Amino acid sequence: MQTEIVIQVAFLLLTLGIFLSIYNLPKKALTKLRSSNHRAAAQSNRHFLRGAQLLSRARSTRNRPASLSLANDALAEADKALALQPRDPAAHILRGLAQDLLGHKSSALRSLDAALSPPSVKLLSVGEKSDALVKRAEIQMAVNRRRRIDSAVSDLVEAVALTRDNVKAFCLLGQCYEQKRMWAEAQKAYEEALKIEPECLSAREGLGRARS
């Protein structure tokens, strides 16, 4: 009788041990995954910050070959960041800005498209999304004014709906409306720009054209 009790207790302890092992397994796996994700995010952020610094230097230098070299280095850092965090919209935007500086307009548009598409776009703040929309519109206008003008208008209308203090967005919107010969809309866009920045020369010149 005593032997049977011992066996039952041992069996119960063994069952309990197996249950606890199974119960704790997902938790341990999740903890390990979180730790891995944290390391990847930290490393991705380091590449992004270095890329942003390189891009800033590329924009500020007057030496064209040096600027292109720095832009290429910034692009490489953006690619490293995206290899670790493929959905990071900031890295996609950095990549697009570097490509734009290098003159790769179509590639820059694809990078900005990636940043502004789900699920990446959900990680952008309102201001960041507005700025990315404005940049995409600017490149669309540079690539092919006629074919992409409607897409640029759509981006700019959304951008100014998100933030009403973006002078560049209103000026670009005015230029788009001028291309479409929508003079009343162009005039309104330039007037909005001047409300924000009364001394904005491009808005003043655009308003003059729209009124004439």
Side-chain angles (χ1 to χ4, degrees), residues 174-175 177-178 181-191 202-212:
Q175 292 172 25
Y177 284 138
E178 282 190 75
R181 298 186 179 278
M182 299 171 64
W183 305 113
E185 289 81 357
Q187 180 177 329
K188 184 177 179 181
Y190 290 129
E191 287 172 347
S202 60
R204 286 182 174 276
E205 291 176 345
L207 184 58
R209 291 192 302 270
R211 285 175 172 173
S212 62

Side-chain angles (χ1 to χ4, degrees), residues 4-16:
E4 291 179 0
I5 294 174
V6 171
I7 292 173
Q8 288 177 0
V9 170
F11 181 75
L12 180 62
L13 291 173
L14 177 62
T15 303
L16 181 61

Side-chain angles (χ1 to χ4, degrees), residues 89-100:
H92 280 295
I93 291 171
L94 173 62
R95 193 172 195 273
L97 294 176
Q99 290 167 325
D100 180 45

Side-chain angles (χ1 to χ4, degrees), residues 55 64 67-69 71-72 75 95-110 135 139 142-143:
L55 183 64
R64 180 64 176 170
S67 176
L68 294 177
S69 178
N72 269 313
L75 180 58
R95 193 172 195 273
L97 294 176
Q99 290 167 325
D100 180 45
L101 191 58
L102 289 166
H104 306 156
K105 304 294 184 184
S106 296
S107 297
L109 281 176
R110 287 194 293 271
K135 186 60 184 180
I139 298 174
V143 170

Side-chain angles (χ1 to χ4, degrees), residues 96-183:
L97 294 176
Q99 290 167 325
D100 180 45
L101 191 58
L102 289 166
H104 306 156
K105 304 294 184 184
S106 296
S107 297
L109 281 176
R110 287 194 293 271
S111 293
L112 290 170
D113 287 344
L116 290 165
S117 299
S120 296
V121 69
K122 294 180 180 180
L123 301 176
L124 291 173
S125 69
V126 171
E128 289 168 341
K129 182 179 179 181
S130 179
D131 288 342
L133 286 166
V134 172
K135 186 60 184 180
R136 185 167 70 175
E138 183 181 20
I139 298 174
Q140 286 172 334
M141 293 170 68
V143 170
N144 189 323
R145 288 181 180 273
R146 289 186 178 180
R147 190 178 66 183
R148 295 184 179 272
I149 192 71
D150 289 335
S151 295
V153 168
S154 178
D155 278 352
L156 292 166
V157 167
E158 184 178 357
V160 298
L162 291 170
T163 54
R164 300 291 299 179
D165 60 348
N166 195 321
V167 175
K168 185 176 183 179
F170 280 113
C171 285
L172 288 175
L173 186 56
Q175 292 172 25
C176 286
Y177 284 138
E178 282 190 75
Q179 292 293 319
K180 293 171 69 68
R181 298 186 179 278
M182 299 171 64
W183 305 113

